[in-house]
Amino acid sequence: MRIRVPGDKSITQRALILASLADGTSRLSGLLHGGDAESTAGALRALGVPIAGLPVGGGELLVPGVGLRGLRAPASALDMGNSGTGTRLLMGVVAGTGLKATFTGDASLRSRPMTRVGAPLSAMGAAIHWIETEDRLPLEIDGCHPLRPIDWRSPVASAQIKSAILLAGLTGTAFAGVTEPRRSRDHTERMLGIVGARVVSHPGSGGWRVELRDPPERLEPLDFRVPGDISSAAFPLALAALGGAGEGVEVTGVGLNRTRTAFLDVLARMGAEVSRTVADNGASGEPIGDVTVRAGALRAVSVDEEEVPALIDELPLVAVLAARAEGESYIRGAAELRHKESDRIATVVRNLRALGVEADELPDGLAVRGSRQPLVGMVETRGDHRIAMAFGVLAALPGARIEVDDPGAASVSFPGFWELMGSLGDAAHGV
Ligand code: S3P
């Protein structure tokens, strides 16, 4: 079956932010119409950017940018919902303005660490006030302009940390250099290049180095199409790999940036039939193409820290695939999973066990023993969209009797997910 998936969540939020900061009107299409995109758009509106409602179905949105100095202080707290990306990137944006803003979010977001972004922003000259608990939302940022230049070494590979620092440099007119232990997704760097900022990146001592040099006084508006989200495509592709989607699945128009596609390499290593064609670079400066996956006899896999940043969001899915693969699979070097929308190491292991699968937590990953026994039980989502969807893939397999406690969690990144799973299952059964 040939399908499309919603717009990329990471790229959508960056496009909304940079279009808001540009001088002039940007033309965006293919945006995710999901909870996280809505949260970021809502926060930008509260900061004074007149963004209309996000179009459903990828239609065009014109964003009248207010310029790098055009944001205004929000009248009330910015409610970021479930969006860690929106929160951390906008913390960077606000830090470089002279504005004050309070950030808050849902229970999942309020349990996630924020010092990782607060510390470099403080070093640049912004003041961070923890309102209830250190390292957690709600927090207030008292921005400052101009900011001090920074050369930051992040202990973890994180595009959110890197992007927050680059965006602070952009609004705070300051040199911003970041070294991360491994290269994380590079959408911010690509998009900054398109709007006219000078970003260089290269291997550096102790990891991957990115620099925003000579921050510009103004940004060019964007004419930009957001590609489909490879992290959303991963779910139907996984169902195809497991044989739950008939002849297989082809996802068209999906982002194939190498900093995001390690899941496809893992699927192939596990024994699925995977092919991809990179069709064009589009107006997005991102590789876009089509991916096809067909079922294979799946075998166990090992994923280690080298590979982790390029499939960080797909690791719950690798774990559920491992539950149906021959042998024992390992994921290591992935302690960051404990800081996602839930502690994904604990949540995945608890849910696999609830379905009768043998799985163990490791401090920085997990081990899963594959089996063919029927999967029966209740999955606890813990407010985490990717947990809901990873187990939704298992639930779509013939013979499984799995209930997901909060299927609605999927809507932050993949509205229409359950309907799609249903139609792939129907196609597999010739309905
Ligand atoms: C994202 C970066 C990743 C990823 C998240 C989106 C981004 O987080 O898990 O879903 O858009 O920059 P980290 O940067 O914290 O690893």
Side-chain angles (χ1 to χ4, degrees):
M1 194 163 156
R2 173 183 278 195
I3 61 168
R4 295 185 81 89
V5 290
D8 188 282
K9 173 163 83 70
S10 292
I11 299 176
T12 293
Q13 296 188 84
R14 286 159 171 80
L16 289 169
I17 291 171
L18 288 177
S20 296
L21 297 175
D23 269 18
T25 298
S26 292
R27 183 196 304 267
L28 308 178
S29 61
L31 297 163
L32 167 67
H33 181 263
D36 278 11
E38 293 290 354
S39 298
T40 295
L44 288 163
R45 286 184 199 113
L47 287 161
V49 188
I51 302 181
L54 299 183
V56 183
E60 194 171 279
L61 177 73
L62 297 177
V63 178
V66 298
L68 281 167
R69 316 272 165 269
L71 297 179
R72 60 168 163 71
S76 52
L78 302 175
D79 183 353
M80 301 308 302
N82 193 247
S83 180
T85 301
T87 304
R88 293 180 175 135
L89 270 54
L90 285 176
M91 282 172 69
V93 168
V94 168
T97 64
L99 306 174
K100 235 185 222 184
T102 299
F103 289 79
T104 189
D106 69 10
S108 152
L109 188 57
R110 287 199 313 272
S111 72
R112 300 180 65 183
M114 293 295 156
T115 303
R116 48 180 54 205
V117 172
L121 299 181
S122 303
M124 294 177 88
I128 313 288
H129 307 289
W130 309 110
I131 293 172
E132 286 168 15
T133 309
E134 191 169 336
D135 196 27
R136 296 286 185 269
L137 297 187
L139 62 80
E140 183 193 72
I141 300 199
D142 201 348
C144 168
H145 187 90
L147 291 173
R148 289 191 283 272
I150 188 168
D151 205 335
W152 192 255
R153 192 168 278 278
S154 169
V156 290
S158 161
Q160 294 182 354
I161 299 174
K162 174 177 66 181
S163 302
I165 296 170
L166 294 175
L167 291 170
L170 190 69
T171 54
T173 329
F175 169 90
V178 188
T179 303
E180 48 181 357
R182 279 178 192 78
R183 187 178 195 176
S184 63
R185 64 191 65 189
D186 66 353
H187 307 304
T188 303
E189 296 89 302
R190 287 172 185 256
M191 221 179 282
L192 280 172
I194 296 176
V195 295
R198 205 152 85 84
V199 180
V200 291
S201 56
H202 51 83
S205 80
W208 185 258
R209 176 146 182 87
V210 180
E211 291 173 10
L212 172 74
R213 296 185 183 160
D214 313 318
E217 281 302 313
R218 59 180 296 278
L219 302 181
E220 299 293 334
L222 289 155
D223 187 354
F224 192 93
R225 179 162 187 86
V226 176
D229 196 329
I230 185 68
S231 295
S232 297
F235 299 106
L237 294 174
L239 184 61
L242 288 163
E247 293 300 296
V249 168
E250 179 184 16
V251 185
T252 60
V254 69
L256 291 174
N257 180 319
R258 297 290 310 180
T259 62
R260 295 282 301 279
T261 53
F263 177 68
L264 300 178
D265 306 331
V266 167
L267 266 189
R269 285 214 299 281
M270 294 184 87
E273 214 185 290
V274 181
S275 62
R276 58 184 121 171
T277 50
V278 179
D280 76 284
N281 256 313
S284 66
E286 293 276 348
I288 298 176
D290 304 336
V291 182
T292 304
V293 170
R294 295 195 177 82
L298 298 189
R299 47 185 179 267
V301 75
S302 277
V303 175
D304 66 22
E305 58 187 353
E306 290 299 324
E307 212 167 23
V308 161
L311 83 165
I312 183 75
D313 290 340
E314 289 66 69
L315 290 172
L317 198 46
V318 173
V320 305
L321 284 166
R324 291 325 243 175
E326 172 82 41
E328 182 156 8
S329 293
Y330 290 92
I331 296 171
R332 295 193 185 87
E336 270 300 291
L337 286 179
R338 296 204 182 271
H339 306 298
K340 297 298 176 186
E341 285 81 334
S342 68
D343 173 343
R344 287 184 176 159
I345 294 176
T347 320
V348 166
V349 168
R350 194 177 42 249
N351 283 318
L352 284 174
R353 286 183 174 169
L355 302 181
V357 178
E358 284 182 43
D360 291 309
E361 282 193 40
L362 309 173
D364 64 344
L366 44 90
V368 181
R369 281 170 287 290
S371 83
R372 293 270 113 219
Q373 71 187 50
L375 298 167
V376 179
M378 169 66 109
V379 167
E380 279 181 27
T381 303
R382 298 272 158 130
D384 187 333
H385 57 134
R386 296 201 200 280
I387 297 297
M389 292 189 282
F391 285 90
V393 168
L394 288 184
L397 290 175
R401 278 191 292 122
I402 299 175
E403 211 182 313
V404 173
D405 67 347
D406 178 16
S411 66
V412 301
S413 63
F414 199 159
F417 169 81
W418 297 102
E419 293 78 359
L420 176 65
M421 286 292 123
S423 53
L424 290 172
D426 289 348
H429 296 109
V431 178

